[in-house]
């Protein structure tokens, strides 16, 4: 079961999200020939035992495979535009990178002597998910459920999708030895919490609990109203 889209239209073009999507895809294909090089990973990936500061940023633009890349970009596409809409372009870019750095630091603190390289935008995107949960807890997110040969798409409130995702990261991180390679669960958890905390000023600027009460946790611009706002005014004698 995984999300494929949300019902939460944004009011302006998410240029930063688009740029991040392109940058991640381009850098993935550019880095594929070097991903098995220990020196390349030492220079560009987060390795907790080494802790080179610059790698906490560079590692966010590397991925271990197409599924890794595709999953991250899908989540960024679904949830990123609404945060960029509320934060503004420059603030959202800083927010995204800072969440990624915090995710790397979180994984480093969980196992500071690890020599397992860590790459991927998952931590930064986890931060986006944390911020989205705070601002739009009841936005509808369409999830795809696949069971053997059957599949179905159905809407689920964002607080369930994102809250369950976060719970899985924490439970998996607690169950898996920190020095074991694979998914960096503590990076995901740290990024998610950081994103939620960094979104608090935006939430308070919008009115805090009043913002929730006013819109009942739903997106402030329903799709029908958004389409009406974007539609040209019909002229007399013209049919629509």
């Amino acid at each position: 079961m995984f999300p494929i889209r949300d019902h939460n239209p944004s009011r302006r073009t998410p240029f930063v999200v688009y740029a991040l999507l392109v940058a991640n895809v381009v850098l993935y294909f550019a880095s594929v020939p070097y991903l098995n090089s220990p020196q390349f990973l030492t220079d560009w990936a987060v390795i907790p035992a080494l802790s080179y500061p610059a790698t906490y940023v560079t590692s966010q633009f590397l991925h271990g495979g197409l599924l890794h890349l595709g999953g991250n970009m899908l989540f960024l596409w679904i949830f990123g535009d609404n945060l960029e809409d509320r934060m503004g372009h420059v603030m959202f870019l800083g927010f995204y990178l800072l969440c990624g750095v915090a995710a790397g630091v979180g994984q480093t603190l969980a196992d500071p002597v690890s020599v397992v390289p860590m790459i991927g935008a998952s931590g930064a995107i986890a931060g986006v998910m944390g911020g989205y949960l705070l601002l739009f807890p009841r936005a509808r997110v369409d999830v795809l459920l696949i069971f053997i040969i059957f599949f179905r798409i159905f809407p689920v409130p964002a607080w369930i999708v994102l809250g369950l995702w976060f719970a899985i990261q924490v439970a998996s991180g607690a169950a898996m030895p920190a020095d074991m390679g694979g998914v960096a669960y503590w990076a995901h958890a740290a990024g998610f919490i950081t994103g939620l905390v960094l979104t608090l000023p935006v939430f308070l600027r919008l009115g805090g609990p009043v913002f929730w009460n006013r819109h009942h946790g739903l997106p402030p611009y329903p799709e029908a109203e958004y389409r009406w706002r974007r539609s040209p005014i019909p002229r007399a004698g013209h049919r629509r």
Side-chain angles (χ1 to χ4, degrees), residues 66-77:
L66 284 174
L67 287 178
H68 188 200
L69 173 69
N72 280 344
M73 296 304 98
L74 175 63
F75 275 62
L76 176 59
W77 174 261

Side-chain angles (χ1 to χ4, degrees), residues 134-157:
L134 180 63
L135 294 184
F136 312 108
R138 293 186 59 199
R140 289 182 300 152
V141 178
D142 285 347
V143 298
L144 175 62
L145 176 64
I146 301 176
F147 182 72
I148 309 177
I149 61 172
F150 301 100
F151 67 91
R152 182 180 178 184
I153 297 173
F154 54 94
V156 178

Side-chain angles (χ1 to χ4, degrees), residues 164-190:
L164 180 61
W165 182 90
F166 177 71
I168 290 173
Q169 306 311 304
V170 174
S172 300
M176 188 180 76
D179 59 351
M180 182 180 293
V183 180
Y185 292 111
W186 291 121
H188 296 173

